[in-house]
Amino acid sequence: MRKRTLLLAAAVTTGLLTALPATAATAAPSGLDGDINGDGYRDTVVAAPLAKVAGKSKAGYVAVVYGSSSGPNTGKRQIISQDTAGIPGVPESGDYFGDRVTTGDLDGDGYTDIVVGVHGERIGSTDDFGVLTVLWGGANGVESGTDVSSPLPEYRSELGWSVATGDFDGDGATDLAAVNLASPELNIFKGPLTRTGKAAALTGIDTNEQTGINADRITSGDVTGDGRTDLLVMGQEEYSGGYRTRSVLYKGSASGLTPGAKVAGGYASVIGDVNKDGYGDIVTGNFMEKSTDEPNGGLGGAIIVTYGASGGLSTRTPVRITQDTANVPGASEKNDAFGWSLDAGDTNGDGYTDIAVGVAEEDLGSKRDAGSVVVLRGSSSGLTGTGSKSFTQDTTNVPGTAESYDYFGHSVLLTDASKDNRAELVVGARGENDGAGSVWTLRGTASGITATGAKSFGSATVGGASGLAYFGDVLAG
């Protein structure tokens, strides 16, 4: 329940949140996407939604690990929960704070903010569930938090089930999209948002009525290359035999989001320009085995690349990639979960976007569901298996040892935290150490991701609680 009055914090100080090294408050923020404290380095958000907070199990928190010339720097970090002064709400068992996270500059001040979809939060004694908590970035990092307070949908059923940000109408302000399991399923909060939680306007979109696809997961990016953000909506579509996974691209326009073409369904997605033609390409991941209900699945899972174009989608035939695709490491085996997680970034600085694919349930010998990550390289011909690499905890120079049920690759993030124009690979393994969870960082180089110099850290490293936490369950940046 939302019981605690928000205490606005003008700045981060010792005792409010994890203290940070002093930052020159007079320096102009970088305005870089993913830079929460404005120092020119992208920062990494790590969620631990099952962590115990204030004695409440599975209350959850998010950690911010700030970027530096050497990548994510665990010595410069914050932990934010509903027990943090200046953050609304109180920790309760089963809140899972942090299991839905995205980032974006919602108030237009040049600092990236964090949005936490607290979809299971009950609102007082009503039947409404779900709040959207914004953690506001500033010169000293996260400085305060606010729940989006108005306007709000009439009914809330797990509002914040999925969240994404982008400038959907091209007016220069960042908007917030949030799935609300009540109808309308998709809510667009027009930016900019104020630090009191007010949006400029609210638009509800019933995606099921418009397209036949319910809104379950959403991903933002510019597919059409017009400078407006488009939104991929993933969900279920009814057909004669039941329901099957399906997605639809909502295109950004001056009047907001409008429904476009349908594309491959799945349970994970990312948008990135893998062939460097100026249009974002849609990559959907379906870790399920192929069936009538899962037409885009495959033995061990599959990803589908649907290429972007000025009108929305290219006439080029979508490309399906599995671990049986030429030059992709490994082999397609039942229940590998290839495509469990996805992210996009340029790992070698050649201008082509590469794709990290989590294979969270990959067996390594007798080690069941140990997990792996495959990095596929973008090129002028698009995404292929050529030059791809695979990493596990048994890869030379990767810290730790692969064990059953680690789920290495449960989450992946490609982000240039070191400001060298090459994305680092960040990997989460929620099952590490009996569910405590851990995160690994691997550097980008001229030849792509390397395990040399790889690092790992867990909840205790950043000052979080020990024990069951699922640290690394969700990554954002």
Side-chain angles (χ1 to χ4, degrees), residues 44 65 70-74 397-399 408 424-427 439-443 449-457:
T44 301
V65 180
S70 58
N73 177 11
T74 57
N397 294 319
V398 173
F408 183 87
E424 288 89 10
L425 170 64
V426 186
V427 181
V439 167
W440 286 255
T441 60
L442 289 76
R443 294 185 301 112
I449 298 297
T450 178
T452 301
K455 301 174 182 178
S456 68
F457 58 95

Side-chain angles (χ1 to χ4, degrees), residues 20-395:
L20 295 176
T23 303
T26 57
S30 71
L32 189 68
D33 287 344
D35 184 3
I36 294 166
N37 63 350
D39 64 356
Y41 294 98
R42 287 185 173 90
D43 308 312
T44 301
V45 180
V46 182
L50 268 64
K52 181 179 287 187
V53 176
K56 303 295 184 180
S57 62
K58 302 177 183 179
Y61 72 79
V62 296
V64 182
V65 180
Y66 289 90
S68 70
S69 59
S70 58
N73 177 11
T74 57
K76 187 178 181 182
R77 80 278 181 153
Q78 288 178 282
I79 285 183
I80 304 104
S81 73
Q82 290 180 308
D83 194 45
T84 302
I87 306 303
V90 293
E92 297 170 306
S93 297
D95 273 351
Y96 305 108
F97 185 86
D99 74 342
R100 303 290 193 271
V101 176
T102 193
T103 60
D105 182 6
L106 292 179
D107 58 353
D109 65 353
Y111 299 98
T112 294
D113 310 306
I114 304 168
V115 180
V116 182
V118 197
H119 56 92
E121 184 83 31
R122 184 169 182 174
I123 312 304
S125 58
T126 71
D127 291 330
D128 282 346
F129 283 83
V131 297
L132 301 168
T133 300
V134 183
L135 309 178
W136 300 103
N140 293 316
V142 173
E143 297 183 340
S144 62
T146 312
D147 286 343
V148 177
S149 58
S150 67
L152 287 171
E154 182 178 2
Y155 302 107
R156 281 184 277 175
S157 176
E158 302 215 47
L159 176 65
W161 178 260
S162 186
V163 287
T165 61
D167 183 5
F168 304 119
D169 55 9
D171 66 353
T174 300
D175 309 308
L176 170 62
V179 172
N180 180 23
L181 297 184
S183 184
E185 298 162 299
L186 182 61
N187 286 268
I188 308 300
F189 298 85
K190 181 175 171 57
L193 273 67
T194 71
R195 291 206 172 195
T196 60
K198 293 184 178 180
L202 172 65
T203 301
I205 300 174
D206 190 331
T207 62
N208 191 54
E209 182 178 89
Q210 290 184 347
T211 70
I213 298 172
N214 69 300
D216 184 48
R217 296 172 183 262
I218 53 177
T219 299
S220 58
D222 186 3
V223 175
T224 61
D226 64 356
R228 297 186 180 98
T229 306
D230 308 306
L231 189 72
L232 184 72
V233 176
M234 309 183 77
Q236 298 283 322
E237 176 184 59
E238 189 174 5
Y239 75 108
S240 58
Y243 289 87
R244 61 189 173 194
T245 58
R246 194 72 162 143
S247 304
V248 59
L249 179 66
Y250 273 75
K251 294 189 292 184
S253 72
S255 58
L257 292 168
T258 59
K262 293 181 179 180
V263 299
Y267 301 93
S269 59
V270 71
I271 297 172
D273 186 3
V274 299
N275 59 353
K276 203 166 62 171
D277 65 354
Y279 304 106
D281 306 306
I282 301 169
V283 184
T284 54
N286 191 335
F287 65 90
M288 302 286 280
E289 307 298 315
K290 189 173 183 178
S291 68
T292 304
D293 294 342
E294 306 289 346
N296 301 299
L299 179 62
I303 67 169
I304 306 289
V305 186
T306 304
Y307 290 90
S310 58
L313 300 181
S314 169
T315 57
R316 179 177 177 179
T317 302
V319 176
R320 188 169 184 269
I321 298 175
T322 73
Q323 284 186 289
D324 283 342
T325 299
N327 299 310
V328 175
S332 294
E333 300 166 311
K334 191 173 179 60
N335 298 323
D336 275 349
F338 181 84
W340 179 278
S341 58
L342 295 168
D343 203 34
D346 182 2
T347 64
N348 65 343
D350 65 356
Y352 295 97
T353 298
D354 309 312
I355 301 295
V357 184
V359 197
E361 296 179 7
E362 178 102 69
D363 293 346
L364 301 177
S366 62
K367 302 169 184 176
R368 295 180 56 84
D369 298 345
S372 71
V373 174
V374 173
V375 181
L376 303 171
R377 294 280 294 276
S379 69
S380 58
S381 57
L383 198 67
T384 70
T386 302
S388 56
K389 299 179 180 180
S390 178
F391 300 92
T392 74
Q393 285 190 72
D394 284 344
T395 300

